[in-house]
Structures are given as C-alpha cells and as structure tokens.
Amino acid sequence: MRRLENAFWFAFAVPTLGIVLVLFFAPFLYSALGSFQSKSGQLTLDNYALVARLYTKDVLYTVGIATFSLAIVLFIGILLCGYLRVYGNKLVEFLFKIPLFVPFVVVGHAMRVFLAPHGILNSMVAQIGLINLDNPPSLAYSWLGISLALAWKNMAMAVLLILGAFRSVHETYLEAARNFGAGAIRQTLDVLLPMSASSLAVASVLMFTSMLASFSIPLMIGGGKGAQMTMIDVYYRITYQGDYGAANALGVVSYLLASGAAIYYLRTVTRK
Amino acid sequence: MSEPHVRLVNITKRFGNTVAVDNVTLDVARGSFTTLLGPSGCGKTTTLRMIAGFHDPDAGDIFIGERRVNEVPSHRRNTAMVFQEYALFPHMSVFENVAYGLTIRGLPKPQVAQKVRATLKFLALEGLDDRSPHQLSGGQQQRVALARALVMEPEVLLLDEPLSNLDAKLRVSVRTEMTQIQRSLKLTTIYVTHDQEEALAMSDAIAVMHQGRVVRFGTPWEVYYRPRDRFVADFVGLVNFVEGRLVEVSPQVLVADVAGRSLRFAPEGLALRPGDGVLLSIRPECIGISLAAPTGAANVLHGQVAVSQFLGRLVRYWVAVDASTWVVDEPDPSTYSLLSGEVYLTIEPGKVHVIAAENKDKDEGGR
Ligand SMILES: Nc1ncnc2c1ncn2[C@@H]1O[C@H](COP(=O)(O)OP(=O)(O)OP(=O)(O)O)[C@@H](O)[C@H]1O
Ligand SMILES: [Mg+2]
C-alpha cells in the first residue's frame, strides 16, 4: 500500500521535476559553463579576466545603486507601512500600489521626462528660483536618477511585502506598546520591524536581486558615459561584440552577488 | 465600600449590528479587586478595553478618579493592561520587556534598571532577566506580563483572563499569589474571567454580565446566595429552581405552595402579597439529606435517590421528589455508600432565596 502510494507520488513528481530541470537549471548551467569557455570551446578563465579588467567598476557601481535604492525603498517603505499598519489608510495604500502595474520601460520614460535637465522637476524648482535653467543640474543620466527610478518602481512591491509582514503581527502586541505610550514610529521600529524581520529580509533580497538585474531603467535614465549597470554591459557584450563568454561571466558574477545578499540576510536573521 | 475609583456611566458599545456592551453602569471601589464575570461573548473584554482606551464607547462616560477619560489616549489613563495571551514581545528579553514602558516614558537608564530589578524581585522572577519569553514556562510568562504592567505603577490594573492559559493546578496557585499581590499593593484591579470559581475566590466585588449588560453587581457572597436573577443563579454555581405561589405572608415568614407542598422561607424584606407567584433558588449545599425522618425542621421533603456521584470532597445526589428532581450536595463523603433509596431532604427557611416575584394583579414580572 505504502509502496504504491510512493510510486504514485514519484510518477507524479517526475514530469514536474523534468520541466524544472530542463527549463530552469539547464539554461542556467549552460550559461555558467559558457562563462568558462573560450570562443573555440576550450576551458579558460579569460572571460573572468576580461570582466575583472573592464567591468570591476561597473559591478561596484551596480551594487552601489542597488544598495542605495534598496535603502531608500526600505526607509520609506517601513515608515509608510508602519503608518498604514497602525492607522490604516486605504487610499494611500492604493496609491502606493500603482507602480506595481506600470511597466519598467514606462517608469524609465516617465522618470526621464520628470528628471531631465529641462524636465518637470527642474522647471518647478526653477520657478521658485533655486536653480538657473541656463545651466541646469540633472538627476537623469546619473546614478542618482537610476536609483530614484528603481526606488519608485520597487516601492509598490515593497509596500505589498512589508505591509503583508506587518499585518501578520497580532494587534495585541501593538496595543501593549500603545498602552505604554509608544506612538506609530516606535510601534513600527520596536515591535513591527523586529517581529517581521525574517519576512523583510526575504523581501529585501527579492528587491535587491531585481535591482541588480534591472535593465530598461538604467538603459533609459543612465548616462551614456562612465560606469554602467552590469545588465547593460551584458547586453552590449552580446549584441555588439557577440561575446557570449564574457556576458555569461558577468551573469555568473551577478548571480553570486544576489546569492551573497541572500546568504548575508539569512545569516543575520537566523542569528537572532 | 470606599469611594469609587473607576466609574462607568451608561456605557454602550456597538460593533455593526452587535451591541457588545449595553448601557453598563458600574462603580469600582478604590483599592478593590473587581471582577467582570460572564459567559463568552457577554462583553467583558469590550468593557475592559474601553476602560483601557482601546475602544471608544458609542455612548456614556468613563471616569477614573475625578477625571473623565473618554477622549484620553490609552497611555495617559494611568492604567496597565495584562492581555490574555500576555503579548510579551518575543524579540526582547524578560528585562527588556519589563523595561519597555519605562524607556518609552523617557526615564534615565539607571532608574529603569532599578525599577525593573525591584519588580522582577517582587514577582520572584530574579535570574530570568536575559531569558527570551519563549524560554519561560506559562506561569513565568504570566508573571512577566504582570511585572510589565506593575512596573509602570499604574493607578488601575486591568487583567483580561490572565490565567486561562495555565493548567488547572497552576491556575489555583497563581490566583492565590495574585490576590496576595493585589492586597499588598491595594491596587484597584479590574479582572475579567468566565470562570465563576475564580471570580468567587479572588474578588471583592463581582459584576455578572449577560448579553452586554451587568445583571448583578455585589460581593461574592451576594452574587452567590442572593443572585436576584435567574441567569446569575444558574451561571454562578449549581442551583435548584422552584416555582410556587405565596399562600401566607407575615413579617417573619413566607409560605409558598410548591406543587401541593408548602415551603417556608424568610421574607428578605420584600414587599410580597398572598397570591404572588415566586421563583425561588436553593443551593445544593443548603439542603440536608438523611435516611431518618428529621424532627422539628421547617421544611421536609420525602424523595428517592436517583443518582449519586462521589466528587472527593463532597457527594452529589439527585433526588426525585414527586415530579421534580433536586440536586443536593452532602459535605460528608462517608455518606456515599450509606445514603440510597428513600431519603428525607431538609431546607432551612433562611437558605431559600427569592429570585423573582410576579404580582397577581399586574401581570408583570417584577424583579
Ligand atoms: N472588534 C470587534 N468587532 C466586531 N465585533 C466584536 C469585536 N469585539 C467584540 N465583538 C463582539 O462583541 C461581543 C462581545 O465581545 P467580547 O469580546 O467583549 O466578549 P467577552 O465577554 O470578552 O467574551 P470571551 O469570554 O469569549 O472573551 C461579541 O458578540 C463579539 O463577537
Ligand atoms: Mg474576552
């Protein structure tokens, strides 16, 4: 009986496992292997040498931008969700979820219009006479512009995930804190945040990974000169140089960064 | 008793269509241990939470001392609440949990540490400072929750079924402990429970609640022996209900006709007239039981033992008298094997309580 049941589950699992292996692991392994091969197919570390020589700065730039955007998103997201959890505001909650339904490219474009040298933001600031439009500073075409656009786009996901985590903290804990005189910010920082730390860590890793791998936003807002985010490098390596080996190596580096972030967060959470 | 400390005046609270608390008026005496007792859903927690400031009443006023506190936020009411599930912060140590309120109040660190230490010592929690709540037993968690409330030196302590998560034996020892603590601090305490034994054992005053209303408010003795209400008599302990019609009324004694037998009882200062219908209650422990016919007793019933149960400290008999069954508790367990078959029941007039009377002229129940 037991045997039969096991056989049944096995038969049931095999096709699923097969699909997972073929669709997810095979391409991944294939590209990872590709990063260790030269154009003629020999095993080599040349691709990594090239990445180290040309792209070290870009990798650091990418990590910097992702970290900075994540910091913005978490800072705003945690305070906002704390407010929403403690007081509740359906309208604000809805407004912050809108970016969820806006595609990356549209965000990129909107941000470009908004942040450009003669864009909306600068026009507004010039109106109050803070800057001179003849020689305008620009947030677009800079790391700050990319970070802000990424933060804007990820905000909705952050609100969804953080608010979900905060809502799973039982009301009596907040009441206990309120009874002692804790306001919304203290309830958030002292109770909600530590009690949903593990969910927040997972959410952070998710957002960090998606920021590392962002492509359309840096493509549309990033400057043409200077450092680039790695996915842009991957794109150029493939479309203009046909260099799959180096592109794969960049991919593996991104993967290691993402899993590094995951391991770091899981460590800090499980240590508590 | 002494002056009221917490006063509820015509408090009502609705949740949508449910009236959770219905026009409750209650005076809680200063320094007293007052219990809100009632079945699940009767509005005990809602009442307590309105005093704590977690719910606003839809109507009525709440006073703490001279001060009307309806619009005062929870932490300015000088109340401290102990929750049913304790709500100890799982990410903080015992020390941090107890210190939390004082830290928020902005007390300097050394003072916080000193007060927390003193409170932990008072509640015999020394040495557990660095433990996390999940490393504590249920009883210890309960004491930490109490410590967290007491360290704030509240004017009024609010407790919502704080013992319900403990096993039966621990519950009895912790309740004795809590009564001692409350007596030593003379701290006005409002306690919520659905356990009548707990309420009787711990309280100075009990407010019995039913469907959002306070149906009886008095000392444990009054609530138990003078329930004045069919629900209260039934909810608090076991009771025999008897319906009858008054046949004789004098200042010393009332006589009712109960299914063809007469039952004599004390007037309790009630204005009753012959012909009035009465609902009487008699506690099982107030009825004597014997094999031999008693002499000189005011009320004697003759019946047949239907069932008997040995309950350790007493024996409970169900005795059939004519068409009705009486529950009788005999405090001497050695009678268990001796009493059976035909028995005599005796009832002292002073042990019969009039729950409700119905005037024969007006067809209206007057309670
Ligand atoms: N937040 C709420 N929203 C809607 N209805 C509520 C809410 N709180 C309580 N009620 C309702 O109000 C009534 C009284 O509830 P309350 O919690 O005060 O009862 P209780 O006497 O404490 O019962 P228990 O012994 O089960 O804790 C119940 O019918 C309950 O369903
Ligand atoms: Mg309750």
Side-chain angles (χ1 to χ4, degrees), chain A residues 49-265:
Chain A
L50 183 82
V51 166
R53 188 154 41 83
L54 291 182
Y55 297 119
T56 304
K57 212 172 126 199
D58 286 6
V59 169
L60 293 176
Y61 179 76
T62 305
V63 172
I65 284 186
T67 309
F68 185 65
S69 310
L70 184 65
I72 299 177
V73 169
L74 288 180
F75 180 76
I76 299 178
I78 286 168
L79 289 183
L80 176 78
C81 292
Y83 163 80
L84 291 174
R85 173 66 181 84
V86 173
Y87 295 111
N89 187 326
K90 284 266 166 335
L91 180 69
V92 173
E93 192 179 329
F94 171 73
L95 289 178
F96 268 89
K97 282 183 183 161
I98 289 179
L100 215 49
F101 308 103
V102 182
F104 276 97
V105 182
V106 178
V107 175
H109 179 67
M111 280 292 160
R112 186 156 65 171
V113 172
F114 186 71
L115 302 174
H118 292 275
I120 299 166
L121 181 64
N122 277 357
S123 317
M124 288 197 305
V125 180
Q127 293 262 313
I128 24 175
L130 279 179
I131 57 166
N132 180 3
L133 272 187
D134 296 335
N135 186 13
S138 173
L139 286 176
Y141 316 125
S142 75
W143 66 272
L144 192 55
I146 301 179
S147 303
L148 290 179
L150 281 178
W152 191 91
K153 172 63 186 168
N154 278 280
M155 204 63 231
M157 184 57 94
V159 168
L160 203 70
L161 296 173
I162 299 174
L163 195 54
F166 283 4
R167 290 232 163 99
S168 68
V169 174
H170 200 278
E171 186 72 23
T172 44
Y173 292 105
L174 294 183
E175 282 173 350
R178 217 172 293 157
N179 193 217
F180 290 128
I185 292 186
R186 296 220 62 159
Q187 287 174 51
T188 306
L189 299 183
D190 295 347
V191 181
L192 293 173
L193 192 56
M195 285 186 72
S196 44
S198 53
S199 312
L200 286 200
V202 173
S204 301
V205 171
L206 275 178
M207 288 188 286
F208 186 73
T209 312
S210 104
M211 285 167 176
L212 283 183
S214 59
F215 176 69
S216 42
I217 284 180
L219 187 67
M220 296 181 79
I221 300 188
K225 302 180 291 276
Q228 296 286 349
M229 288 189 75
T230 46
M231 286 306 123
I232 307 260
D233 295 331
V234 170
Y235 173 72
Y236 277 101
R237 221 55 233 174
I238 292 171
T239 33
Y240 295 102
Q241 269 123 343
D243 183 357
Y244 281 87
N248 284 334
L250 271 170
V252 170
V253 169
S254 302
Y255 166 76
L256 290 177
L257 287 175
S259 45
I263 290 166
Y264 170 76
Y265 277 115

Side-chain angles (χ1 to χ4, degrees), chain B residues 13-16 18-21 37-49 55 84 160-161 192-194 209 212:
Chain B
K13 179 71 189 176
R14 287 181 205 90
F15 294 109
T18 6
V19 184
V21 174
L37 172 69
S40 186
C42 70
K44 309 179 294 285
T45 297
T46 308
T47 307
L48 197 72
R49 290 169 59 83
H55 288 319
Q84 184 170 358
D160 191 358
E161 311 216 15
V192 161
T193 183
H194 62 264
M209 294 188 70

Side-chain angles (χ1 to χ4, degrees), chain B residues 224-241:
Chain B
Y224 189 77
Y225 285 114
R226 296 288 176 265
R228 302 255 167 83
D229 180 278
R230 189 180 184 124
F231 170 81
V232 177
D234 211 15
F235 184 73
V236 184
L238 205 60
V239 72
N240 293 289
F241 286 115

